[in-house]
Amino acid sequence: LSHKNVQNKWEIRVANRFATDEESPMKGMISLTGQMKEQHRIQLAAVSKNILRTFGSASLEETNEDQRFEIMCEIWSLIKQKYPEEWETEGKRREMKYKLLELTGFIAWSLAFNRNLGFYFDQEDSELKQSRLSKAIDRTVGMDWKKDGEFTGLTGEVGGRKMAAKIERLMQQE
């Protein structure tokens, strides 16, 4: 990513902060250079693209970069809390058993949030309705994130879209 792109694109700045900031549940797990080391789960360019997707809702267009970073930390901290077993941070990427922290999982949540995050955002206060979102994510717990499970062989955009559809269905159940 060129220096010019980094200066002009908010999603790259938010992704970079999401990769490096102490507040981020993804700190150290995102490759900034494109070179994937053992601790990395996803590349910065992919995170950036999916952050842009996450905030595609009209109800979130007034949020600033700091708010978007905070929202990313809040939603991914909730996911981390709800899916402790699937939150694989140890070992090599190729040996992971779950799709949650792979690109497919990131795409899935980004697409689901693209269509639903506005529902959990209070525009008057410019804050996430965290307890409401937490309950919605609770309804997704039990979803099969195993690589050899329900979504076997479905990766990237195709897998992410199928998983997002299931996340959305589960989140909307009352």
Side-chain angles (χ1 to χ4, degrees):
L1 300 172
S2 76
H3 183 65
K4 184 179 179 192
N5 283 345
V6 173
Q7 288 180 323
N8 293 332
K9 297 193 174 206
W10 67 265
E11 68 273 14
I12 296 171
R13 291 188 299 271
V14 172
N16 193 55
R17 191 170 166 198
F18 194 55
T20 59
D21 195 286
E22 289 297 326
E23 277 185 61
S24 173
M26 300 285 280
K27 181 183 185 292
M29 297 167 61
I30 299 167
S31 170
L32 301 176
T33 64
Q35 181 182 1
M36 298 291 278
K37 295 187 176 156
E38 189 172 314
Q39 74 272 19
H40 295 140
R41 296 295 177 248
I42 192 168
Q43 293 193 25
L44 183 68
V47 171
S48 172
K49 176 182 178 180
N50 285 288
I51 284 175
L52 188 59
R53 243 184 213 161
T54 298
F55 291 95
S57 167
S59 59
L60 294 161
E61 64 189 9
E62 298 296 317
T63 55
N64 64 39
E65 281 181 39
D66 286 337
Q67 290 171 312
R68 290 174 184 191
F69 169 73
E70 291 297 325
I71 290 169
M72 286 298 293
C73 288
E74 286 180 59
I75 60 181
W76 281 93
S77 290
L78 284 171
I79 293 166
K80 178 181 180 180
Q81 176 189 336
K82 310 289 182 185
Y83 288 99
E85 184 178 332
E86 293 87 345
W87 194 268
E88 296 175 289
T89 58
E90 302 297 319
K92 294 182 179 162
R93 213 166 39 97
R94 287 188 181 95
E95 296 168 6
M96 290 170 52
K97 295 177 189 146
Y98 301 97
K99 294 177 182 257
L100 181 68
L101 291 181
E102 291 186 335
L103 177 57
T104 308
F106 210 83
I107 290 170
W109 283 107
S110 297
L111 287 169
F113 288 135
N114 172 272
R115 293 188 283 268
N116 294 286
L117 193 56
F119 185 67
Y120 305 102
F121 185 73
D122 186 331
Q123 287 181 297
E124 282 185 35
D125 296 336
S126 290
E127 287 184 1
L128 206 55
K129 300 172 191 171
Q130 194 164 3
S131 67
R132 194 171 181 185
L133 178 60
S134 179
K135 287 176 187 163
I137 294 173
D138 276 341
R139 292 190 288 272
T140 71
V141 172
M143 182 169 155
D144 186 357
W145 288 95
K146 289 186 187 106
K147 287 184 176 187
D148 63 356
E150 180 181 350
F151 300 98
T152 299
L154 296 173
T155 59
E157 291 291 328
V158 173
R161 286 184 193 288
K162 290 201 182 284
M163 293 179 100
K166 181 153 189 181
I167 291 168
E168 289 179 70
R169 276 194 311 275
L170 293 170
M171 284 178 83
Q172 292 166 2
Q173 291 176 352
E174 291 295 327

